Amino acid sequence: MDITAVHFAGKHGNLSLFNIYNDCTHNKVLTLLSLFLSSSIHLMRPLPGDHMLWVGDFNHHHPLWEMPYNKHLNFSREYIQLLLDLLADHNMELTLPPGIPTFQSLADNWTRPDNIWQSHANTDPIIFCDVDVSLRPSLADHLPVITKVELSIPRSPTMSAHDFHSADWRIFHKALTERLHTTSLVCLITSKAEFHEKVADITVAIQEVIATDTIVPLQKPCLHRKWWWNNNLKWLKAQRQHACNQAYKFRNIPDHLAKVEVACLSREMDSSICEVKEDHWKEWLDTINACQIYLANKYAVRKPTNFAYDRVPDLKMVINGTDTIVSTNAGKAKALAESFFPPPLLPFPPG
């Protein structure tokens, strides 16, 4: 889907966020956005003080946001007028400051196809909006745009947990042995009560060693962490982030050494990720049981081209009284919409 929208409502009021991708060869997405807002703006902004954000790759170039040296990329007035009219009709303002490039072409030319727009209001919910070159993925041509929005939404606290993956098990074994020698000596167990007491002593000793942060480090849980991620990739990422910052800083200097370093580190990180993923896959295959063979086969034979489709399995819905399997994106979206948002019940007739 080229348009994704999410609506936030709370003490801060209402905030509607549109994630938009507009193809560079046509304005169909912008036309759909115009039709939707013309009929549903009261849902997106119920009150005059509510906010609306448009973010994404608009694939439009204009002097309002494009760099002066890219004036040859500016679109004709007929082609860009639809976007300009939309911005004017809904009183949208540029959030990402003009002149900041977001895309690096193969010819090492920096352009601005991506944009962030916000509706004009008495209060500004945007705290920060800028590109972060250090977060640019390897072999990617677009720069990440970081936008911080002030939303007074309560969050559950994130508790730190021990990172057993990074623990030094040789030090752990040595510390546990020393602790057991002082707190739980080897003895002959003659009763059930002595057995439970010995188990409790060993459990306490293990937990005390785990609680030592120098042996098993603490870390906050990350929702996006990958099981195959390791310290070598972490080091490569840090080196590449530094090189990306330098290359972006000296982007106007042709053949700067930082650009070569970014290319080399990007290729090295990409190949390292592929190797680590393959090793993790083989290690997982060696440890699966009989019940997981079908799952392994599913992972092996299913090569996704649309990752949104790969995450949502085929759905079953009733059409004209007949059970029907839905496999297309449009059909899945319709099935989910009808399931979560059924039509309202008709009121009972009076009397």
Side-chain angles (χ1 to χ4, degrees), residues 270-280:
D270 188 62
S271 61
S272 298
I273 289 176
C274 292
E275 293 176 2
V276 171
K277 283 184 175 181
E278 183 177 356
D279 294 340
H280 179 71

Side-chain angles (χ1 to χ4, degrees), residues 139-204:
L139 308 183
D141 45 15
H142 287 263
L143 299 183
V145 181
I146 308 300
T147 306
K148 294 183 179 180
V149 184
E150 183 178 4
L151 294 176
S152 56
I153 300 177
R155 294 185 178 181
S156 58
T158 55
M159 305 299 294
S160 299
H162 290 281
D163 183 12
F164 293 97
H165 183 73
S166 302
D168 192 328
W169 293 109
R170 291 176 298 178
I171 300 177
F172 183 92
H173 182 267
K174 181 180 179 181
L176 180 59
T177 303
E178 294 175 353
R179 189 171 295 274
L180 289 175
H181 284 167
T182 58
T183 61
S184 182
L185 298 176
V186 178
C187 63
L188 180 63
I189 299 176
T190 59
S191 65
K192 185 177 181 180
E194 290 180 356
F195 173 78
H196 287 296
E197 182 180 358
K198 180 59 68 174
V199 170
D201 292 341
I202 295 175
T203 302
V204 170

Side-chain angles (χ1 to χ4, degrees), residues 44 54 134 159 267:
M44 300 296 100
W54 300 349
S134 64
M159 305 299 294
R267 287 193 294 267

Side-chain angles (χ1 to χ4, degrees), residues 19-40:
N19 185 20
I20 300 168
Y21 173 76
N22 184 71
D23 195 280
C24 59
T25 59
H26 56 74
N27 278 328
K28 295 180 180 179
V29 172
L30 295 180
T31 302
L32 291 176
L33 178 64
S34 177
L35 292 174
F36 174 77
L37 292 178
S38 61
S39 60
S40 306

Side-chain angles (χ1 to χ4, degrees), residues 15-249:
L15 172 65
S16 297
L17 175 65
F18 290 83
N19 185 20
I20 300 168
Y21 173 76
N22 184 71
D23 195 280
C24 59
T25 59
H26 56 74
N27 278 328
K28 295 180 180 179
V29 172
L30 295 180
T31 302
L32 291 176
L33 178 64
S34 177
L35 292 174
F36 174 77
L37 292 178
S38 61
S39 60
S40 306
I41 189 62
H42 61 284
L43 300 177
M44 300 296 100
R45 298 185 66 188
L47 300 174
D50 292 335
H51 304 282
M52 184 166 54
L53 285 178
W54 300 349
V55 304
D57 185 357
F58 291 83
N59 273 314
H60 278 57
H61 303 276
H62 191 271
L64 286 176
W65 55 85
E66 189 62 74
M67 282 66 68
Y69 56 81
N70 284 331
K71 60 182 181 180
H72 61 286
L73 298 176
N74 293 336
F75 288 173
S76 63
R77 185 174 183 85
E78 293 76 14
Y79 189 79
I80 204 173
Q81 191 62 43
L82 176 59
L83 175 59
L84 298 178
D85 291 341
L86 271 173
L87 298 174
D89 293 342
H90 299 283
N91 204 10
M92 303 297 289
E93 299 175 345
L94 193 62
T95 304
L96 184 65
I100 297 180
T102 61
F103 175 82
Q104 183 182 18
S105 66
L106 294 176
D108 197 26
N109 184 38
W110 290 88
T111 63
R112 172 73 173 270
D114 310 287
N115 261 315
I116 313 289
W117 305 90
Q118 67 179 109
S119 57
H120 177 77
N122 295 330
T123 59
D124 187 3
I126 304 298
I127 302 174
F128 173 83
C129 184
D130 201 355
V131 297
D132 192 339
V133 189
S134 64
L135 298 179
R136 179 181 180 181
S138 59
L139 308 183
D141 45 15
H142 287 263
L143 299 183
V145 181
I146 308 300
T147 306
K148 294 183 179 180
V149 184
E150 183 178 4
L151 294 176
S152 56
I153 300 177
R155 294 185 178 181
S156 58
T158 55
M159 305 299 294
S160 299
H162 290 281
D163 183 12
F164 293 97
H165 183 73
S166 302
D168 192 328
W169 293 109
R170 291 176 298 178
I171 300 177
F172 183 92
H173 182 267
K174 181 180 179 181
L176 180 59
T177 303
E178 294 175 353
R179 189 171 295 274
L180 289 175
H181 284 167
T182 58
T183 61
S184 182
L185 298 176
V186 178
C187 63
L188 180 63
I189 299 176
T190 59
S191 65
K192 185 177 181 180
E194 290 180 356
F195 173 78
H196 287 296
E197 182 180 358
K198 180 59 68 174
V199 170
D201 292 341
I202 295 175
T203 302
V204 170
I206 294 175
Q207 291 176 345
E208 289 177 349
V209 176
I210 292 175
T212 307
D213 296 343
T214 56
I215 300 177
V216 183
L218 284 173
Q219 69 170 4
K220 290 187 177 181
C222 179
L223 298 177
H224 308 289
R225 184 181 179 184
K226 306 298 183 182
W227 287 104
W228 43 263
W229 189 262
N230 56 30
N231 291 331
N232 181 48
L233 293 176
K234 183 178 180 180
W235 179 84
L236 278 175
K237 180 182 177 182
Q239 297 296 315
R240 186 181 171 277
Q241 285 178 342
H242 176 73
C244 285
N245 287 330
Q246 294 298 312
Y248 186 75
K249 180 179 180 181

Side-chain angles (χ1 to χ4, degrees), residues 301-321:
V301 302
R302 194 171 190 176
K303 296 181 179 180
T305 56
N306 185 333
F307 287 91
Y309 169 81
D310 188 65
R311 285 194 295 267
V312 180
D314 293 345
L315 302 178
K316 180 187 292 186
M317 63 181 302
V318 178
I319 301 178
N320 297 328

